[in-house]
Amino acid sequence: MRFEEPPTVAQRQFDESGMEILGEKTCLRLLHDQSLGRVAFIDDAGDPVVLPVAYRFRRRRVYFFSSEGAKLRAATQGARVAFEVDGWNPATGDGWSVLVKGVCRPVDAGEMDPELGLKPWLRTALRPMKLIEIVPEEITGRRLPTGPVAPEWD
C-alpha cells in the first residue's frame, strides 16, 4: 500500500471519533491497489445486504461481476449503493477504510473495456455473469490512529 506524502500535523484532519480523514489521492490509490471489497445495497425485501466482490477500480469507477440475483436487480434498477474496501495490520494496529457511495448499473457488452482484466470471483457459476459499474457520487476514507489504542474502559 502506498499513501500520498504524509501531511504535517497541522494539515491533518480528524473526524469526531479521532480517525484521520484521508485525502482524495490516497483514497483513489487504495481503491486502485486492492481487488476485494464489499458492496452494500437494499435487497428486494427492504433489508440491508453487504456482499464481498472481486473488483477493479478504473477511470473513477468500481467494476465487479454479478450473476442473477439481488445485486444484479439492484444494478438494473439504478440503485444507490455503498462500496467499501479496507486494510488492517494486526501487528501494528494500523488500518484504513475507503467508502464509495454511488449508483450502480449494468455495463453493456459494447461498453466493456477489454483491458479491465477482471474475472468473476465465483468462476463456477452456472448462471451467466454480468459486469456491473458503480458510478461514485462520493469517495471518502479514514485511517486508524497509529500506535497503541487505549481500551474504552480505561
Side-chain angles (χ1 to χ4, degrees), residues 7-152:
T8 64
V9 174
Q11 294 173 321
R12 294 169 66 186
Q13 295 181 332
F14 297 87
D15 67 12
E16 63 278 357
S17 65
M19 293 182 70
E20 182 181 354
I21 299 170
L22 297 177
E24 181 181 66
K25 286 181 183 177
T26 298
C27 291
L28 298 177
R29 172 52 60 188
L30 290 167
L31 283 165
H32 180 269
D33 288 350
Q34 303 302 308
S35 60
L36 182 65
R38 292 166 226 33
V39 63
F41 58 95
I42 303 299
D43 71 8
D44 299 335
D47 294 324
V49 177
V50 180
L51 297 171
V53 293
Y55 80 96
R56 288 288 182 272
F57 185 74
R58 286 181 63 93
R59 296 184 192 93
R60 296 184 71 95
R61 302 284 196 266
V62 175
Y63 295 94
F64 64 92
F65 281 99
S66 177
S67 62
E68 288 182 27
K71 282 186 292 188
L72 187 54
R73 280 192 299 278
T76 59
Q77 296 166 2
R80 288 186 43 78
V81 298
F83 178 83
E84 192 267 351
V85 61
D86 57 43
W88 182 59
N89 182 334
T92 64
D94 296 335
W96 55 269
S97 174
V98 174
L99 179 66
V100 176
K101 295 177 186 176
V103 176
C104 65
R105 68 176 195 89
V107 176
D108 293 326
E111 297 178 273
M112 284 191 195
D113 181 350
E115 296 180 17
L116 189 59
L118 177 62
K119 302 226 185 288
W121 187 9
L122 182 60
R123 293 188 183 108
T124 59
L126 300 175
R127 298 179 290 193
M129 302 296 275
K130 182 78 175 164
L131 185 63
I132 306 297
E133 172 185 67
I134 298 175
V135 180
E137 296 172 349
E138 181 180 14
I139 299 175
T140 59
R142 304 287 183 270
R143 184 180 355 235
L144 292 169
T146 57
V149 177
E152 291 184 21

